[in-house]
Amino acid sequence: MRLTILGCYSATPRSLTNPTSQVLEIKNHIFLIDCGEGTQVQLRKSKVKFSRIKHIFISHLHGDHFFGLPGLISTFRLLGREKELHVYGPKGIKEAITLLLKLGDSWTNYPLHFHELNSKETELVFEDESVTVSTIPLDHRVYTNGFLFREKLAQRNLDINAVKQYKIDKSQFNNIKAGKDIVLEDGEIVKNELLTFDPPKPKSYAFCSDTAYKESIIPLIKNADLLYHESTFLESEKHLAPKTKHSTALEAASIAKKANVGQLILGHYSTRYKSIELFKEEAKAVFENVDLADDGAIFDF
Amino acid sequence: MRLTILGCYSATPRSLTNPTSQVLEIKNHIFLIDCGEGTQVQLRKSKVKFSRIKHIFISHLHGDHFFGLPGLISTFRLLGREKELHVYGPKGIKEAITLLLKLGDSWTNYPLHFHELNSKETELVFEDESVTVSTIPLDHRVYTNGFLFREKLAQRNLDINAVKQYKIDKSQFNNIKAGKDIVLEDGEIVKNELLTFDPPKPKSYAFCSDTAYKESIIPLIKNADLLYHESTFLESEKHLAPKTKHSTALEAASIAKKANVGQLILGHYSTRYKSIELFKEEAKAVFENVDLADDGAIFDF
């Protein structure tokens, strides 16, 4: 899995910082997560092929997570896109996008599907043979979801030497990878674990922005390999967090620790801070394996 | 007057080029003209003070002229703006912006006034003591207006030496500047032209983007000091112009010549062209005083 941060600063776009947007490469997918103004330029800078994006997940309808979407959808049309596009986001997103396209008399000539969300409980929003995506209900000023991206357990890996040794025919390989025991011609049963290696442990990525400190998300993101958790404020401004329904670096770290995640990435920094290094320092007091998102940063895991 | 080009390329934002937006400084005003995605970042790069923008003129509701507006309006709110903002644009613009603000539960805490346009004839949309703004109906795929910005004739300039010579009291200065003759104590009438100089000739700027070649705009922009006219295509692609309702560089130059403007600025270049120099060459064949808009360029006139 590879996570590319296109933008990770809160509030307003600036000359050198961008509002929230990320690209997650997982199995064969390129998922776009949130789409602040300027996302399509950031996508170009990161050399992401536009046509490979088929699914866009929008956490909430504040401008810094969403105002780049109408332009991206229009650009797809100008580029001659034919492949369908799926957009997952809060109820209302369809009305907003379709109104803007109608006013510009610029309907897409590719299929555009909206999957509107309004549940306060977690729900599975995408699934195929290799990946699931489910919502992480967050606590913000408007209806907001994070998203949990999870690989499925792959098939078992064939132990090619063992298979040769037992002289097993190729026609059985799919059964073996699916975990079945094999009956040899002489009636001997060979246990699957003698013929295979464990598949790689499935990985998972939890995206949580924007939210006040919310312990009820912990069971949903438990043991995730990577957690992106917003940290708008430092301790010096922690009094602003509950009021604006955002989190501090320390709170993000506390969630990471309680959820036992592998690594924490901080982001959604208030633009009041000159440097973001203090976010890492404050989080480290609670959770060791923490890193800072920054525009253009790439995390492989 | 000073015109700053924030963006002047057609269609999609790219790493190094921006969609249409301009700032016109005229008398005490800072007018924003069109607002493609990324305009607020371009405003910051050009060091325009956000709070000085009180009037925004939108030509039409295609994304490359409009999708930066929701974010800019939101940013004004985040910056604590209190001054009112006036937005002039096609009917539908109010519904679009208010829906986006409603979905984000982000109403502005400053007065936001929409002046919706739907007339196919030119109309005066703004006037104060020093400036008028009127529409220039254009011919595009959706309802579109250009805008003509025109200084009013200023008061006459006092000839301070002449006034001293005639021993005229200060209390008369406003009458003199307003063009009145003066009666001296001995009954002698002093003609105004002996006491004043002509005020500077009022200047005007015509913004025309996007449009097919449309001769009926010529009387509206006649003798303008500066004309920005779109030129999406070169001669090699002139067959695309009528179909997409855009103009070529040659057509823009032809309009400039027939309207007898002082200077022509080209822009809204199709992003298919590697270099924009050919636009100037092709226009020069018809109209000599032509220059190229480019992002960040400044024109004083």
Side-chain angles (χ1 to χ4, degrees):
Chain A
M1 272 207 244
R2 164 173 286 195
L3 179 70
T4 302
I5 308 294
L6 302 177
C8 66
Y9 288 79
S10 73
T12 76
R14 299 181 301 172
S15 303
L16 298 173
T17 67
N18 294 277
T20 303
S21 186
Q22 308 185 346
V23 169
L24 182 68
E25 294 172 58
I26 176 172
K27 299 291 186 180
N28 281 325
H29 295 290
I30 290 200
F31 290 145
L32 184 68
I33 309 167
D34 278 352
C35 191
E37 185 173 347
T39 293
Q40 54 182 312
V41 171
Q42 289 296 97
L43 280 170
R44 286 191 196 272
K45 285 184 183 164
S46 290
K47 306 214 183 300
V48 176
K49 233 183 150 201
F50 281 34
S51 63
R52 287 203 56 208
I53 298 171
K54 289 180 201 148
H55 301 272
I56 302 178
F57 300 86
I58 301 292
S59 65
H60 65 301
L61 300 182
H62 278 159
D64 56 329
H65 296 254
F66 166 54
F67 282 173
L69 186 59
L72 184 61
I73 285 173
S74 300
T75 292
F76 282 153
R77 184 180 63 82
L78 290 169
L79 296 176
R81 182 187 183 105
E82 292 178 357
K83 284 178 203 160
E84 59 185 27
L85 179 70
H86 294 267
V87 176
Y88 308 78
K91 194 165 163 48
I93 195 168
K94 180 177 180 176
E95 183 188 359
I97 298 293
T98 51
L99 175 61
L100 292 173
L101 297 181
K102 189 184 88 174
L103 288 173
D105 199 11
S106 307
W107 298 108
T108 62
N109 35 15
Y110 58 88
L112 176 59
H113 300 289
F114 291 94
H115 305 264
E116 294 200 309
L117 309 173
N118 61 359
S119 172
K120 288 178 177 173
E121 307 297 325
T122 182
E123 54 182 341
L124 183 72
V125 293
F126 174 81
E127 178 169 22
D128 70 0
E129 66 285 356
S130 58
V131 173
T132 63
V133 184
S134 50
T135 59
I136 305 168
L138 299 176
D139 177 18
H140 194 40
R141 302 195 301 277
V142 293
Y143 175 73
T144 303
N145 289 296
F147 297 99
L148 178 68
F149 302 85
R150 197 188 275 280
E151 293 177 346
K152 286 187 175 175
L153 189 67
Q155 288 199 309
R156 298 188 63 78
N157 287 319
L158 217 55
D159 179 347
I160 200 70
N161 289 327
V163 166
K164 273 185 190 163
Q165 188 187 320
Y166 287 103
K167 293 183 179 146
I168 296 171
D169 189 70
K170 274 186 182 171
S171 61
Q172 296 284 6
F173 285 6
N174 278 341
N175 285 331
I176 297 172
K177 286 193 270 187
K180 290 188 180 151
D181 298 337
I182 295 297
V183 184
L184 301 181
E185 280 182 11
D186 64 1
E188 185 191 350
I189 293 170
V190 187
K191 286 280 181 195
N192 186 276
E193 57 259 38
L194 296 175
L195 301 171
T196 58
F197 302 116
D198 287 344
K201 188 176 159 286
K203 287 178 186 143
S204 58
Y205 169 57
F207 168 82
C208 296
S209 177
D210 305 9
T211 188
Y213 181 77
K214 191 185 184 201
E215 291 204 341
S216 61
I217 67 172
I218 291 169
L220 301 178
I221 64 174
K222 195 89 189 171
N223 301 323
D225 294 275
L226 190 67
L227 166 66
Y228 172 92
H229 194 291
E230 74 122 295
S231 58
T232 306
F233 298 113
L234 293 171
E235 281 304 286
S236 47
E237 282 73 31
K238 71 176 175 184
H239 57 287
L240 296 176
K243 191 178 145 196
T244 59
K245 299 253 183 185
H246 284 298
S247 300
T248 64
L250 205 69
E251 287 172 332
S254 174
I255 293 288
K257 185 178 183 182
K258 289 176 181 171
N260 190 40
V261 304
Q263 187 182 355
L264 169 65
I265 295 177
L266 299 175
H268 204 267
Y269 320 109
S270 164
T271 51
R272 81 191 59 213
Y273 303 112
K274 291 270 178 294
S275 155
I276 57 176
E277 281 304 315
L278 271 178
F279 285 89
K280 193 170 175 175
E281 273 183 42
E282 293 193 355
K284 274 213 169 189
V286 170
F287 186 83
E288 181 60 27
N289 194 9
V290 56
D291 217 333
L292 296 174
D294 209 349
D295 298 5
I298 291 175
F299 298 91
D300 287 306
F301 62 107
Chain B
M1 272 208 246
R2 165 173 284 197
L3 179 69
T4 303
I5 308 294
L6 302 177
C8 67
Y9 288 79
S10 72
T12 75
R14 298 180 303 171
S15 303
L16 297 173
T17 67
N18 294 277
T20 303
S21 187
Q22 307 185 349
V23 169
L24 181 70
E25 294 173 57
I26 176 172
K27 300 291 184 180
N28 281 326
H29 296 290
I30 291 200
F31 290 144
L32 184 68
I33 310 167
D34 278 353
C35 192
E37 186 174 347
T39 292
Q40 53 182 313
V41 172
Q42 289 296 98
L43 281 169
R44 287 193 194 273
K45 285 183 183 165
S46 290
K47 306 212 183 300
V48 176
K49 231 181 151 206
F50 281 34
S51 64
R52 287 202 55 208
I53 298 170
K54 288 179 202 150
H55 303 273
I56 301 178
F57 300 87
I58 301 292
S59 65
H60 66 299
L61 299 182
H62 279 159
D64 55 330
H65 296 255
F66 166 54
F67 282 172
L69 186 59
L72 183 62
I73 286 173
S74 300
T75 291
F76 283 153
R77 184 181 62 82
L78 289 169
L79 296 176
R81 181 186 184 106
E82 292 179 356
K83 287 179 200 157
E84 58 185 28
L85 179 69
H86 295 268
V87 176
Y88 309 78
K91 191 163 166 49
I93 194 168
K94 180 176 180 176
E95 183 188 359
I97 297 292
T98 50
L99 174 61
L100 292 173
L101 297 180
K102 189 184 87 176
L103 288 173
D105 199 11
S106 307
W107 298 110
T108 62
N109 35 14
Y110 57 88
L112 177 58
H113 301 289
F114 291 94
H115 306 265
E116 294 201 309
L117 309 173
N118 61 1
S119 173
K120 289 179 177 172
E121 307 296 325
T122 182
E123 53 182 341
L124 184 71
V125 293
F126 175 81
E127 178 168 24
D128 70 0
E129 65 286 356
S130 58
V131 173
T132 63
V133 185
S134 50
T135 58
I136 306 168
L138 299 175
D139 177 18
H140 195 41
R141 300 195 302 276
V142 293
Y143 175 74
T144 304
N145 288 296
F147 296 98
L148 179 67
F149 302 86
R150 198 187 273 279
E151 292 177 348
K152 286 185 174 175
L153 191 66
Q155 288 199 310
R156 298 189 63 78
N157 287 320
L158 217 55
D159 179 346
I160 201 71
N161 289 328
V163 167
K164 275 185 185 160
Q165 190 186 318
Y166 286 104
K167 295 183 178 146
I168 296 172
D169 189 69
K170 275 188 183 173
S171 62
Q172 296 284 5
F173 285 6
N174 278 340
N175 285 332
I176 298 172
K177 288 195 267 186
K180 290 186 180 152
D181 298 337
I182 294 296
V183 185
L184 300 181
E185 281 183 9
D186 62 3
E188 184 191 350
I189 294 171
V190 186
K191 285 278 181 198
N192 186 276
E193 57 259 39
L194 295 175
L195 302 171
T196 58
F197 303 115
D198 288 342
K201 186 177 158 288
K203 287 179 188 143
S204 58
Y205 169 57
F207 167 83
C208 296
S209 180
D210 305 8
T211 187
Y213 180 78
K214 190 184 184 200
E215 291 204 342
S216 61
I217 68 172
I218 292 168
L220 301 178
I221 63 175
K222 196 88 188 172
N223 302 324
D225 294 274
L226 190 66
L227 166 66
Y228 172 92
H229 194 292
E230 74 123 296
S231 57
T232 306
F233 298 113
L234 294 171
E235 282 303 286
S236 47
E237 281 73 32
K238 71 175 176 185
H239 57 287
L240 295 177
K243 192 178 143 196
T244 58
K245 299 253 185 185
H246 284 299
S247 300
T248 64
L250 205 70
E251 286 172 332
S254 174
I255 293 287
K257 185 177 184 183
K258 290 177 181 171
N260 191 40
V261 303
Q263 187 183 357
L264 169 65
I265 295 177
L266 300 175
H268 203 267
Y269 320 109
S270 165
T271 51
R272 79 189 63 214
Y273 303 112
K274 292 271 177 292
S275 155
I276 58 176
E277 280 304 314
L278 271 178
F279 285 90
K280 194 170 177 176
E281 272 184 41
E282 292 193 354
K284 273 213 168 185
V286 170
F287 185 83
E288 181 60 28
N289 195 8
V290 56
D291 218 333
L292 296 174
D294 210 349
D295 298 5
I298 292 175
F299 297 91
D300 287 308
F301 61 105

